[in-house]
Amino acid sequence: MPAPLSPLSTYRLQLTPAFGFAEAESLVPYFAELGISHLYLSPIWRARPGSQHGYDICDAREINPELGGEDGFRRLSHACQAHGMGIVLDFVSNHMCADPGRNPTWRDTLRNGPSSLHADAFDIDWAPVKRELRNKVLLPILGRQYGEVLEAGELKVVYEGGEFCLRYWEHDLPLNPRQARLILRHRWEELQQLSALPAEDLQEYQSILFQLDHVPPYWEVAEDAREDRLRELSVAGQRLARLLKQSPHLAAHLERNLVDMNGRVGEPESFDLLHELLEQQAYRLSYWRTALHEINYRRFFDINELAGLRMENPRVFAEAHAKLFELLRSGLAQGVRLDHIDGLYDPTAYLTQLRAELAAEAPHAYIVVEKILSAREPLAAVWPIDGTTGYDFLNELNHLYVHAANFAVLRRVYQRFLGRAAHFEHIVYEGKQQIISTSLASELNVLAHELNRISEQDRHSRDFTLDSLQEALREVAACFPVYRTYIGSDGEISEADRAAVDEAIRHAIERNPALEASIFEFIRECLCPLPRITDRPSAYERRLRFALKFQQYTGPVQAKGIEDTAFYRYCPLVSLNEVGGEPVASARAVEAFHAANLRRLAHHPLSMLATSTHDTKRSEDARARLNVLSEMPGEWRTRLREWSRLTAPAKTGSGRRALPDRNDEYLFYQNLLAIWPEGETAASGELVERMKAYLSKAIKEAKVHTSWINPSNEYDRAVERFVERALRGKAAPRFLASFVPFAERVAAAGRQNSLSQLTLKLAAPGVPDIYQGTEFFDYSLVDPDNRRPVDFSMRKDWCEGSRQTRVAEGEPGAQKALMLRTGLRMRQASPELFRVGDYVPLVAEGAGADHVVAFARLLAGEGLVAVGLRWFLTWQANEAGSTRLPLPPGLANRTARNLYTGEEIACGEALELSVLRGLAGGLLHFPRTLDTL
């Protein structure tokens, strides 16, 4: 059975060495029974050994052998096709793993520097501001200062496999083969006087040295020099390997030289030889903190181990995508999810090229991008893609379940608990400034120096100092309202991009009245460049290149400053602190939800509908629980006061110096509510460890008392002790006696929220995406908590035993899975209804009207009405009887079938909500009749 071309639904699997293609293949019948049309796999390309996520790719031209290799993937693909399913792949185009021991492309770049055939694959600045780094890559891998590491004997030169390498703990670095001369010529006089050494061996040894002497240096990049270097080094290496194998005297000589080269601890001068050798490499070893200010290769955010790629280079593009294109063209895969599209130099050009490459043999390939859309930011209409991975839908849906009228009270409860004011806009600004000043400072330095060079080219801007330009640029980046703009290599500037730059400039000026305003106008001209008659040759191209490089910078600043900093500092209701979201409730959430669905149907009807992913801060069910707090701000306030008093003995210190601080304590209570197991009265060891791990990450991301860069052992230990004492110590009995009954109420209402949002997701325009394990209720926090192994055995057993069970008859714990299967099968039965059917918002009438979110899907006489309820703490059973949902003309006075209960319902002009029979929502199907054909 051929795989469907475009997905009706996707199921995300996180592949690991312990859960690879074979394990996924064994589950294909289960996924087919569930109604999934496409498996959506985490990256399958060869990654760093043992990788638990696959994003640290070492070679995209090979399928990861740890997952089962090419044969394993083919078997999985064929199994999917046998069940009428397809596969969507996850592809990383922005970066690769910077491990020279595993990534041959990166290793060759470190060995040969700018002369490497792969040097242009990586986004490396070979002419950085610091002169000592010219034609070198800064490698910030050392645990201490370089001199300390060197003289401690932790750097070792070895000769293995026919090449000289440098070892530093787990790091395996190549050495510039030309500079092997330093090692080989050491003790030269002793070697010449060695009578036992045959003359012909000494002559060959000298000839090899002569050959190395005349190899072009690594900074010569002319094509003929590159070819000469590659050829001569290869020949010299082979000759040396043969000679050392046949001459024990020369092998012993080399062994002695390596001992001398590696120095003797306690004798600093003995490391001079090694230092001299390292100074002649195409890289410069440094303390890891040096990366904050001097790193000269673009990274994935601030992760030194992931090096940015220059996908705008045609050769790099072709090599990186060869295997992906092969799988798509052959039909072994039907689609691709493109990771971190905002990291690319020119996303529009990249996507256009990608689609063009597939036009002939895979014209219908499904392409979605991981694009985080900020508030009011549209997806670029010119991108030839099917949509996003669904964070926009996630936030639109989530807002429906937050009681906006109570949010102001919640915010006051939070601020009073903290004992201080907390304004999100200011916290975001501070968070972005901190990121710019620390983990992303080196990238700003590069941009500022380039901006300074541009300013020197024009007499109208040459008086701007480097310091003033850097400060102004910092402010613009900190005030940027979106992840990035999308000015292309062709210089086209959209109105949306121009508006984003203008907004950033305006806010930067408002925040910095003392800075010269004309500097900001100059920056505006460089971020939205236009050709000028007065331009010197190439001046416009230089401004345009600066604009494109700046675009690559603002994305990491936005992500790290908001999602990984501000979201841990500002927490009135953490269910709103989600990727692409804002922690502010919307009074017009229902209208916004319908408007977004209509836009998606019109422009990207195959966009993913995500509610949980491997990157979300909390799972969909955890968020659904926490949204219940917006219905009960008064009781939440009372409980907070009580819990804080009961857990006070669990803190370290007392009074204002008690640790953890009030914000982290507040985080503790919310996230404990999010994951507390229903029916449990005591905290298990596993739950305690999960909370410790979460809070340890949260406080480091917040970067207030501790951080990844500068951990505070005192604060870290205090938080860990607080969790242990509050949940298992002397404070636990009284605290849990108060906490558990409240948690049970929240969990019960949260479960209803989960079912309701699932109903809306199943019928909305787009492709529902199911994250692994979330077909059942799943209460997870941010990774790695959300990447724990899934119990698929239980799920398979349930599926086998529940095929005849309806939602209203099943176990409460399986209701979600039953609803999911029902909805997905409906999508399979009427695919066009969901792909292109009209979308009609419906407005309820009566006592419970505000509790209802509903819409209809219509196509050629067939219809589906999706009804989701909300705010269950104040939803009264009698309100169902007095609340009705007027139906659109095409569905009024017809008979529908409630897909969840199986019953037939005769409808009049409106649907009486009592037909939902106590469920949190409903899917009512109106089949075509003779009258509607």
Side-chain angles (χ1 to χ4, degrees):
M1 186 186 303
L5 291 175
S6 57
L8 282 165
S9 60
T10 56
Y11 190 101
R12 171 73 177 201
L13 281 176
Q14 293 296 113
L15 301 175
T16 69
F19 187 94
F21 300 138
E23 289 75 16
E25 181 186 350
S26 70
L27 293 169
V28 167
Y30 163 69
F31 295 130
E33 177 68 20
L34 197 59
I36 299 297
S37 77
H38 285 66
L39 289 189
Y40 164 30
L41 306 179
S42 62
I44 67 170
W45 326 103
R46 188 165 68 80
R48 179 178 287 182
S51 176
Q52 296 299 299
H53 49 76
Y55 288 100
D56 44 1
I57 292 173
C58 294
D59 193 341
R61 298 167 296 184
E62 179 185 356
I63 295 178
N64 195 342
E66 288 195 323
L67 302 180
E70 179 119 9
D71 290 343
F73 177 75
R74 286 178 175 273
R75 285 193 295 271
L76 173 59
S77 177
H78 293 152
C80 285
Q81 292 182 34
H83 286 79
M85 294 169 58
I87 289 178
V88 175
L89 301 173
D90 194 339
F91 189 76
V92 184
S93 55
N94 175 67
H95 56 267
M96 289 185 79
C97 175
D99 182 347
R102 307 294 181 180
N103 184 342
T105 305
W106 182 250
R107 187 176 187 85
D108 191 72
T109 301
L110 297 185
R111 177 190 289 112
N112 295 304
S115 71
S116 168
L117 297 178
H118 303 288
D120 57 354
F122 301 99
D123 203 348
I124 299 170
D125 182 6
W126 295 107
V129 175
K130 186 167 183 172
R131 185 179 58 186
E132 290 81 1
L133 280 174
R134 187 172 184 82
N135 292 318
K136 292 179 181 288
V137 179
L138 183 76
L139 290 187
I141 63 173
L142 304 182
R144 291 173 292 158
Q145 298 289 343
Y146 166 74
E148 293 180 44
V149 172
L150 177 73
E151 294 176 10
E154 296 174 18
L155 301 171
K156 299 286 187 184
V157 178
V158 299
Y159 180 75
E160 287 183 2
E163 71 169 343
F164 290 97
C165 308
L166 182 72
R167 299 286 165 75
Y168 173 65
W169 300 113
E170 74 277 11
H171 299 280
D172 175 16
L173 302 168
L175 288 172
N176 178 358
R178 185 173 185 265
Q179 299 308 326
R181 299 173 301 167
L182 289 175
I183 304 171
L184 298 175
R185 277 207 173 95
H186 184 58
R187 295 179 178 269
W188 177 245
E189 294 78 9
E190 293 181 18
L191 185 63
Q192 288 179 308
Q193 295 170 9
L194 187 62
S195 59
L197 180 64
E200 59 270 22
D201 287 354
L202 180 60
Q203 185 178 5
E204 173 67 358
Y205 195 78
Q206 288 178 298
S207 177
I208 292 171
L209 285 170
F210 180 83
Q211 185 177 13
L212 291 174
D213 287 338
H214 291 82
V215 169
Y218 71 79
W219 54 81
E220 289 193 12
V221 296
E223 194 62 34
D224 55 347
R226 280 182 169 180
E227 293 176 358
D228 287 347
R229 177 180 169 85
L230 182 64
R231 181 184 63 253
E232 295 303 320
L233 288 178
S234 177
V235 172
Q238 294 171 15
R239 291 173 66 192
L240 179 62
R242 284 195 302 268
L243 181 60
L244 292 173
K245 189 174 182 179
Q246 73 184 33
S247 173
H249 298 292
L250 286 173
H253 170 74
L254 175 59
E255 193 171 327
R256 287 193 298 271
N257 285 0
L258 289 176
V259 171
D260 287 353
M261 181 64 61
N262 289 326
R264 295 172 296 280
V265 177
E267 300 178 25
E269 67 280 0
S270 69
F271 292 96
D272 290 350
L273 280 173
L274 180 53
H275 173 65
E276 182 183 356
L277 176 67
L278 295 180
E279 287 292 279
Q280 298 185 46
Q281 303 308 309
Y283 52 82
R284 179 185 173 105
L285 297 176
S286 73
Y287 184 29
W288 65 269
R289 290 179 181 271
T290 308
L292 300 180
H293 298 284
E294 293 186 351
I295 199 163
N296 63 328
Y297 62 89
R298 184 173 59 83
R299 303 161 291 172
F300 172 67
F301 292 170
D302 57 351
I303 303 174
N304 298 337
E305 294 78 16
L306 297 175
L309 293 168
R310 295 186 64 241
M311 206 51 70
E312 65 273 18
N313 182 313
R315 184 181 61 80
V316 176
F317 179 94
E319 290 182 2
H321 292 79
K323 176 57 73 171
L324 171 66
F325 288 161
E326 175 191 323
L327 298 179
L328 291 171
R329 289 165 177 162
S330 66
L332 290 172
Q334 288 68 42
V336 59
R337 174 255 198 196
L338 299 167
D339 180 67
H340 191 47
I341 196 72
D342 279 349
L344 298 178
Y345 184 70
D346 187 347
T348 304
Y350 168 81
L351 293 170
T352 302
Q353 184 178 2
L354 187 81
R355 184 62 84 179
E357 291 285 343
L358 295 170
E361 297 174 77
H364 303 293
Y366 179 66
I367 301 176
V368 289
V369 297
E370 186 207 31
K371 166 59 191 163
I372 312 303
L373 295 167
S374 300
R376 304 175 302 282
E377 180 187 4
L379 182 62
V382 296
W383 286 2
I385 60 172
D386 292 294
T388 72
T389 53
Y391 287 109
D392 42 347
F393 176 79
L394 182 157
N395 286 290
E396 293 150 6
L397 181 67
N398 187 54
H399 272 277
L400 296 175
Y401 299 90
V402 178
H403 207 305
N406 294 333
F407 189 74
V409 181
L410 263 183
R411 191 167 51 236
R412 287 196 297 272
V413 169
Y414 171 63
Q415 292 183 343
R416 286 173 182 170
F417 188 82
L418 296 187
R420 57 178 170 81
H423 302 289
F424 183 63
E425 295 78 10
H426 182 65
I427 290 172
V428 165
Y429 174 77
E430 285 187 330
K432 292 168 80 169
Q433 283 283 13
Q434 185 171 357
I435 291 297
I436 293 169
S437 300
T438 54
S439 56
L440 296 178
S442 60
E443 289 83 351
L444 182 73
N445 288 340
V446 172
L447 288 169
H449 278 83
E450 177 59 16
L451 190 63
N452 185 56
R453 286 189 284 264
I454 293 173
S455 75
E456 291 287 350
Q457 292 183 327
D458 191 319
R459 60 175 175 261
H460 297 97
S461 56
R462 74 174 194 178
D463 286 346
F464 297 144
T465 65
L466 172 61
D467 287 347
S468 63
L469 288 168
Q470 182 154 339
E471 182 60 25
L473 199 61
R474 177 196 313 278
E475 292 297 325
V476 173
C479 294
F480 223 72
V482 292
Y483 277 74
R484 62 167 286 170
T485 50
Y486 296 94
I487 299 166
S489 304
D490 57 3
E492 285 292 320
I493 307 173
S494 70
E495 286 305 312
D497 287 343
R498 197 180 300 278
V501 172
D502 287 346
E503 183 176 343
I505 295 288
R506 183 174 67 254
H507 288 308
I509 292 174
E510 290 171 355
R511 286 186 175 274
N512 299 272
L515 274 175
E516 175 64 44
S518 59
I519 293 181
F520 290 106
E521 186 56 40
F522 169 68
I523 291 175
R524 188 201 308 269
E525 292 174 358
C526 291
L527 296 183
C528 293
L530 294 172
R532 297 187 301 227
I533 297 176
T534 57
D535 275 340
R536 295 181 180 181
S538 76
Y540 166 68
E541 287 76 11
R542 193 162 191 174
R543 290 198 304 277
L544 179 59
R545 174 170 172 74
F546 175 82
L548 269 67
K549 296 302 293 182
F550 181 80
Q551 291 178 148
Q552 288 178 290
Y553 181 64
T554 55
V557 170
Q558 183 92 341
K560 298 298 293 181
I562 297 179
E563 294 166 19
D564 293 343
T565 303
F567 276 177
Y568 292 96
R569 296 181 181 181
Y570 184 82
C571 319
L573 185 64
V574 292
S575 55
L576 291 172
N577 293 20
E578 196 49 84
V579 178
E582 294 183 11
V584 179
S586 170
R588 298 184 57 81
V590 175
E591 293 89 336
F593 177 73
H594 290 314
N597 285 337
L598 286 166
R599 283 195 304 272
R600 191 180 310 106
L601 179 62
H603 302 292
H604 296 99
L606 294 178
S607 191
M608 279 186 175
L609 308 178
T611 40
S612 294
T613 78
H614 58 287
D615 280 334
T616 44
K617 301 299 184 184
R618 270 155 285 274
S619 67
E620 59 204 57
D621 299 319
R623 283 195 307 275
R625 273 189 183 180
L626 291 171
N627 286 335
V628 176
L629 297 179
S630 70
E631 300 180 55
M632 50 195 311
E635 187 172 354
W636 173 237
R637 176 179 57 237
T638 301
R639 294 292 185 169
L640 280 172
R641 291 172 177 170
E642 181 180 0
W643 297 343
S644 187
R645 177 175 52 81
L646 294 173
T647 61
K651 289 195 169 189
T652 301
S654 60
R656 291 191 172 186
R657 295 183 58 80
L659 305 180
D661 74 5
R662 300 284 274 180
N663 186 72
D664 296 333
E665 182 185 353
Y666 194 91
L667 261 180
F668 168 73
Y669 299 133
Q670 285 198 76
N671 287 282
L672 187 62
L673 280 171
I675 68 172
W676 186 264
E678 286 190 74
E680 297 293 329
T681 58
S684 66
E686 179 193 17
L687 182 76
V688 172
E689 292 306 312
R690 288 175 63 198
M691 282 304 301
K692 285 181 182 178
Y694 171 76
L695 280 179
S696 176
K697 179 170 183 172
I699 61 179
K700 288 183 174 64
E701 296 285 18
K703 296 176 274 291
V704 175
H705 303 288
T706 182
S707 69
W708 301 112
I709 296 175
N710 292 305
S712 166
N713 292 332
E714 178 190 7
Y715 196 80
D716 293 344
R717 283 196 300 268
V719 169
E720 186 172 329
R721 282 195 297 265
F722 175 74
V723 175
E724 182 70 38
R725 292 170 177 173
L727 296 179
R728 303 288 289 273
K730 292 180 179 179
R734 296 181 64 200
F735 166 59
L736 292 179
S738 172
F739 176 84
V740 170
F742 182 81
E744 290 289 340
R745 286 184 60 212
V746 170
R751 191 167 59 248
Q752 297 293 89
N753 279 347
S754 292
L755 300 178
S756 173
Q757 69 183 7
L758 176 60
T759 294
L760 300 179
K761 173 181 175 178
L762 285 167
V767 178
D769 173 44
I770 314 304
Y771 182 66
Q772 62 175 27
T774 61
E775 63 268 39
F776 280 74
F777 291 110
D778 175 84
Y779 301 97
S780 297
L781 301 174
V782 71
D783 68 282
D785 194 64
N786 62 7
R787 303 187 192 190
R788 290 169 295 146
V790 175
D791 186 353
F792 282 112
S793 296
M794 177 276 289
R795 285 161 172 76
K796 288 172 65 177
D797 291 344
W798 164 82
C799 198
E800 288 294 322
S802 65
R803 290 181 177 173
Q804 304 305 316
T805 305
R806 298 195 181 278
V807 173
E809 303 162 356
E811 291 292 324
Q815 270 192 330
K816 186 181 180 187
L818 286 164
M819 288 171 66
L820 176 67
R821 187 174 65 182
T822 299
L824 293 184
R825 288 181 168 183
M826 179 65 216
R827 294 180 70 89
Q828 290 181 328
S830 300
E832 295 309 302
L833 173 65
F834 293 92
R835 284 180 175 142
V836 300
D838 290 341
Y839 180 94
V840 181
L842 302 179
V843 180
E845 299 173 346
D850 288 344
H851 294 264
V852 181
V853 181
F855 56 85
R857 303 299 305 276
L858 305 171
L859 181 67
E862 184 179 13
L864 185 82
V865 171
V867 183
L869 303 182
R870 60 180 184 160
W871 305 341
F872 290 93
L873 289 185
T874 53
W875 168 261
Q876 303 297 325
N878 62 348
E879 287 183 324
S882 59
T883 305
R884 58 199 300 272
L885 190 68
L887 295 171
L891 301 182
N893 301 308
R894 290 175 56 185
T895 298
R897 185 166 65 92
N898 187 334
L899 297 178
Y900 290 157
T901 65
E903 64 183 322
E904 301 291 325
I905 301 168
C907 299
E909 296 294 325
L911 177 72
E912 303 297 332
L913 290 194
S914 57
V915 303
L916 298 183
R917 295 179 52 146
L919 295 174
L923 286 177
L924 284 85
H925 181 230
F926 295 77
R928 295 176 187 171
T929 64
L930 290 176
D931 294 337
T932 61
L933 291 177

